[in-house]
Amino acid sequence: MNNLINVLFFNDKNYNAKIQLFFAISFPFFTLLALGIDSVYFKEHFFEGRDITNVLSVLYFSFFFWFSDSYLRKLMFVMVFLSYLGEFIFCTSLEMYNYRTELIPIYVPFGHAIVFASGYVFAHTQLAVKYDNFFRKCFAADFYYIVFSCRILSERYFFAYFWDIFLFAFKKKKMAKLVLFHSPLCYIY
């Protein structure tokens, strides 16, 4: 059974690094489009666009998944469920934040997986490897700016402490570069 799942879903058969990078680069534009369609403005002037955003996000995720290698596919797959679990705990159960509607939009966990996959792809490009020290310094400053802004300006203390713990854990695993590549993507998403 495990082999069947690996053969069907977690293989490198359609892996294409250029298309994968295209999806990672296109992510900011897709986010603007998707969140624009699901915005209050769009709803007030046109119609409720959440269903369209849900479909677009699942399709974007699916194509990104299709052209990824087996390792990233597994990470994306797990990230959807971890994201939904996190949304359920912090949004629904603890009521730390909420969306326009009572339910968590379907596009949110898929969007989080796309953010993660995009950061992963960027962190493994030749440019990232070549200028590793430069990117670490820039993104570390960027990362701490985000954390500082959330902690001081918006009083979102939980977010800041969570990211501090998250970065510390990844530093121990020598994966800090992967986390730091996600900091600019946090602005977008």
Side-chain angles (χ1 to χ4, degrees), residues 67-79:
F67 291 108
S68 297
D69 62 350
S70 61
Y71 186 72
L72 183 55
R73 284 182 178 198
K74 289 175 185 175
L75 292 175
M76 290 174 73
F77 182 78
V78 168
M79 193 63 192

Side-chain angles (χ1 to χ4, degrees), residues 33-56 100-101:
L33 174 70
L35 295 180
I37 292 171
D38 188 39
S39 68
V40 173
Y41 177 87
F42 194 89
K43 181 181 179 184
E44 289 174 352
H45 290 84
F46 303 105
F47 55 87
E48 174 64 63
R50 176 152 300 166
D51 292 337
I52 294 170
T53 301
N54 287 336
V55 169
L56 289 174
R100 282 189 300 114
T101 58

Side-chain angles (χ1 to χ4, degrees), residues 96 147-148 150-164:
M96 296 181 81
V147 171
F148 176 77
C150 290
R151 185 178 289 147
I152 303 302
L153 302 177
S154 69
E155 298 181 6
R156 293 180 75 182
Y157 299 109
F158 179 79
F159 172 82
Y161 293 130
F162 177 75
W163 271 104
D164 287 343

Side-chain angles (χ1 to χ4, degrees), residues 144-186:
Y144 285 110
Y145 170 75
I146 291 171
V147 171
F148 176 77
S149 298
C150 290
R151 185 178 289 147
I152 303 302
L153 302 177
S154 69
E155 298 181 6
R156 293 180 75 182
Y157 299 109
F158 179 79
F159 172 82
Y161 293 130
F162 177 75
W163 271 104
D164 287 343
I165 292 167
F166 192 69
L167 184 62
F168 177 76
F170 274 90
K171 270 189 172 180
K172 289 286 188 189
K173 293 277 190 181
K174 307 279 189 217
M175 294 179 69
K177 181 174 84 171
L178 179 61
V179 174
L180 293 174
F181 262 87
H182 286 90
S183 64
L185 298 173
C186 291

Side-chain angles (χ1 to χ4, degrees), residues 35 81 112 116 118-119:
L35 295 180
F81 293 102
H112 289 168
F116 182 82
S118 297

Side-chain angles (χ1 to χ4, degrees), residues 82-100:
L82 286 178
S83 175
Y84 187 77
L85 178 65
E87 292 292 330
F88 179 76
I89 292 169
F90 298 113
C91 178
T92 307
S93 299
L94 298 177
E95 297 177 354
M96 296 181 81
Y97 56 92
N98 55 15
Y99 294 98
R100 282 189 300 114

